[in-house]
């Protein structure tokens, strides 16, 4: 609660001092995958561990944004619900999270801008589909990644394309019926984000 109050005071202060302040809705599609899948293998036999990169799939995101602009530079905090899907040979992996990127941007040419900054992520749920295997919770509920990209503002409408990555692994461990089926998945996202926003 204290952290939320501090953020509210910061945003209020930015809004008072900024030349232009806007708030709005945004949503869109994301295309990418989580990190590497690793089968653990069996230490008591000759069954070795194996590694596999996931296949990119489409997910979605939706949420709110604010933008505080001063002298052509702006700060844009957001809060978004995101679903990221990845296909592995053994199963489909679905990750649900709350994203809170805080981007610093620059208006470079007319309606065109560039932006980058950290993205704080809170993992809500990770689950497997199309399999009898089970998976546990990720190691860390909250992680920090990054986003960078470009945007186009046309009146109240905005269009964004960004790349999102992560700084460190965040592993979830899974169990099969036998030791050879035990595995881990790196839930770290690597994805392209395509968004449409509307300023209220």
């Amino acid at each position: 609660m204290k952290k939320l109050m501090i953020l509210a005071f910061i945003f209020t202060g930015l809004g008072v001092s900024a030349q232009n302040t806007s708030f709005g809705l945004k949503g869109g599609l994301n295309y990418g995958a989580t990190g590497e899948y690793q089968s653990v293998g069996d230490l008591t036999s000759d069954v070795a561990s194996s590694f596999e990169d996931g296949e990119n799939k489409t997910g979605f995101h939706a949420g709110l944004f604010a933008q505080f602009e001063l002298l052509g530079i702006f700060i844009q905090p957001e809060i978004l619900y995101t679903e990221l899907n990845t296909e592995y040979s053994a199963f489909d992996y679905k990750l649900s999270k709350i994203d809170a990127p805080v981007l610093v941007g620059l208006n470079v040419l007319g309606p065109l801008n560039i932006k980058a900054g950290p993205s704080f992520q809170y993992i809500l749920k990770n689950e497997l589909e199309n399999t009898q295997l089970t998976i546990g919770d990720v190691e860390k509920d909250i992680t920090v990644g990054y986003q960078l990209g470009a945007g186009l503002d046309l009146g109240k409408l905005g269009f964004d394309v960004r790349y999102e990555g992560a700084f460190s692994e965040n592993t979830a461990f899974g169990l099969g019926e036998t030791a050879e089926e035990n595995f881990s998945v790196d839930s770290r996202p690597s994805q392209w984000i395509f968004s449409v926003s509307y300023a209220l």
Side-chain angles (χ1 to χ4, degrees), residues 21-44:
T21 302
S22 59
F23 302 88
L25 309 173
K26 67 173 302 183
L29 300 176
N30 28 284
Y31 180 75
T34 48
E36 198 170 57
Y37 160 84
Q38 177 184 0
S39 65
V40 176
D42 186 356
L43 298 178
T44 64

Side-chain angles (χ1 to χ4, degrees), residues 15 34 50 55 59 80 85 98 110 119 127 132 171 173 177 179 196:
T34 48
S50 62
E55 182 179 335
L80 305 162
N85 302 301
I98 298 294
S119 179
E127 57 187 359
Q132 297 298 316
T171 304
F173 294 95
E177 294 182 358
V196 178

Side-chain angles (χ1 to χ4, degrees), residues 11 35 69 102 115 126 153:
F11 290 161
E69 184 178 341
V102 181
K115 62 194 76 174
N126 68 314
D153 292 328

Side-chain angles (χ1 to χ4, degrees), residues 64-75:
L64 309 170
F65 76 92
Q67 189 179 97
F68 310 103
E69 184 178 341
L70 180 63
L71 300 177
I73 298 174
F74 60 85
I75 297 176

Side-chain angles (χ1 to χ4, degrees), residues 5-196:
M5 291 178 65
I6 291 171
L7 286 174
F9 284 129
I10 291 173
F11 290 161
T12 301
L14 287 170
V16 170
S17 62
Q19 291 178 337
N20 296 302
T21 302
S22 59
F23 302 88
L25 309 173
K26 67 173 302 183
L29 300 176
N30 28 284
Y31 180 75
T34 48
E36 198 170 57
Y37 160 84
Q38 177 184 0
S39 65
V40 176
D42 186 356
L43 298 178
T44 64
S45 71
D46 293 331
V47 178
S49 61
S50 62
F51 301 87
E52 179 189 351
D53 291 326
E55 182 179 335
N56 293 337
K57 294 189 72 175
T58 302
F60 71 91
H61 60 277
L64 309 170
F65 76 92
Q67 189 179 97
F68 310 103
E69 184 178 341
L70 180 63
L71 300 177
I73 298 174
F74 60 85
I75 297 176
Q76 184 169 316
E78 302 174 353
I79 184 162
L80 305 162
Y81 172 79
T82 300
E83 284 194 3
L84 177 63
N85 302 301
T86 306
E87 183 178 338
Y88 298 98
S89 58
F91 48 74
D92 292 337
Y93 181 53
K94 182 177 180 180
L95 187 71
S96 303
K97 60 194 180 103
I98 298 294
D99 285 326
V102 181
L103 307 178
V104 176
L106 177 67
N107 296 313
V108 291
L109 181 63
L112 181 66
N113 62 72
I114 55 175
K115 62 194 76 174
S119 179
F120 303 90
Q121 302 160 18
Y122 177 71
I123 306 298
L124 296 172
K125 183 169 59 175
N126 68 314
E127 57 187 359
L128 305 181
E129 297 179 341
N130 303 319
T131 183
Q132 297 298 316
L133 302 174
T134 60
I135 194 166
D137 293 333
V138 293
E139 289 182 305
K140 294 170 283 191
D141 289 336
I142 299 176
T143 58
V144 181
Y146 62 90
Q147 292 185 6
L148 52 90
L152 188 67
D153 292 328
L154 301 175
K156 290 183 175 293
L157 278 178
F159 302 89
D160 259 8
V161 58
R162 302 178 195 169
Y163 176 77
E164 179 184 60
F167 293 118
S168 62
E169 293 185 2
N170 191 20
T171 304
F173 294 95
L175 297 174
E177 294 182 358
T178 65
E180 289 89 342
E181 293 180 317
N182 293 345
F183 64 93
S184 67
V185 175
D186 178 8
S187 67
R188 171 175 43 182
S190 176
Q191 63 177 342
W192 288 96
I193 303 169
F194 306 93
S195 303
V196 178

